[in-house]
Amino acid sequence: MENKSYELQDDFGRFHHYLRISITEHCNLRCTYCMPEEGIALTPKAHLMTADEILVIAETFVDLGVNKIRLTGGEPLVRKDAKDIILRLGKLGVHLTLTTNGILVPDFIATFNEAGIKTINISIDSLVKEKFNQITRRSYFDTVFENIELLLTEGFQVKLNVVLIKGFNDNEIVDFITLTKTKNIQIRFIEFMPFNGNQWDKSKLVSYSEIMEMLKINFNHHEIERLTDAPNDTAKNYKIKSHVGSFAIISSVTNPFCSTCNRIRLTADGKLKNCLFSNSETSLLETLRSGQSILPLIQQNILSKKAVRAGMDDDLKFQNPELFSQNRSMIAIGG
């Protein structure tokens, strides 16, 4: 079979096999690191991808070598035709997965199974109800934990995404890892990253090295096992030897993984981003609707990808609000 993956190779030799598709900007939570307190100006519905357009664009990427698709939002499951989109993408023969806040999971178990989804990422940043309500600006703590248990019972592989913020939830790192003692889940600690409107500054960052120091204080050194990372993995993977589950650290700020990045992102309004931190976007939807081929645009976008974090290749640039504030807020990107 002809290998078409060379079509998605950038100037630094990186092949891009992993497409993240945001299918909505709407969400039923208001997480502080994702959405500005005042909310965002939502894109008019007419400018968002329809289910048919999502499928056409996804098929194009699959023809170019993409073998993994992750659905994101906003909250992807709030979209009215989410089930239809999931089922149609499930027929493309790729590894299909999604990231959700977990609130609507019970309505989608059958859909996940039919689409062949095996792994679900749940975004949850505190094990304390009051803190969960504070950071999400909503009161769904019990619902989310009940649905995590439901997914485990139904046989899904569950990963919990935890954005660490100093002075807020960094004292829960050990508590999260303790969940892995008896539950076959993976905790994914994510360094707090700068986006428009999320009040980021480096003093709020809990770094990879700080997490590791905390682990060494609370666990014997010989108990902490370094696992083998998968190819193109964004995370550094670990487990406590006696625990059933595992944990990982995604250090996009202090120890970026750009040299092996294989990810590209499609926003809900059909714009292609070759890096999470890039403020440069390529509109595929506009060209698709005009009846023209989107292939040249995709190739040009991939070739324009910078070596490191959209050109923010040192700490001074990365902390410059004039640079990161030009990007979208996280909810409008899709993570």
Side-chain angles (χ1 to χ4, degrees), residues 178-190:
T178 300
L179 286 179
T180 71
K181 186 172 184 177
T182 58
K183 297 182 186 299
N184 188 21
I185 58 176
Q186 183 189 71
I187 309 298
R188 295 160 58 85
F189 297 115
I190 303 171

Side-chain angles (χ1 to χ4, degrees), residues 63-81:
D63 287 341
L64 293 171
V66 162
N67 55 26
K68 180 176 180 178
I69 294 176
R70 176 179 298 278
L71 297 182
T72 67
E75 166 50 46
L77 302 186
V78 302
R79 180 161 165 156
K80 292 182 179 179
D81 57 355

Side-chain angles (χ1 to χ4, degrees), residues 21-33:
I21 304 176
S22 171
I23 63 172
T24 182
E25 297 173 346
H26 289 273
C27 188
N28 42 8
L29 296 181
R30 293 292 183 272
C31 297
T32 58
Y33 57 82

Side-chain angles (χ1 to χ4, degrees), residues 214-247:
M214 189 172 298
L215 291 174
K216 291 173 184 177
I217 292 172
N218 288 276
F219 298 97
N220 292 328
H221 179 70
H222 72 273
E223 290 182 291
I224 305 171
E225 179 181 357
R226 180 69 164 96
L227 302 177
T228 301
D229 302 331
N232 306 110
D233 206 339
T234 61
K236 297 172 179 64
N237 294 273
Y238 296 86
K239 77 185 301 292
I240 304 302
K241 290 183 179 179
S242 60
H243 288 198
V244 176
S246 62
F247 64 95

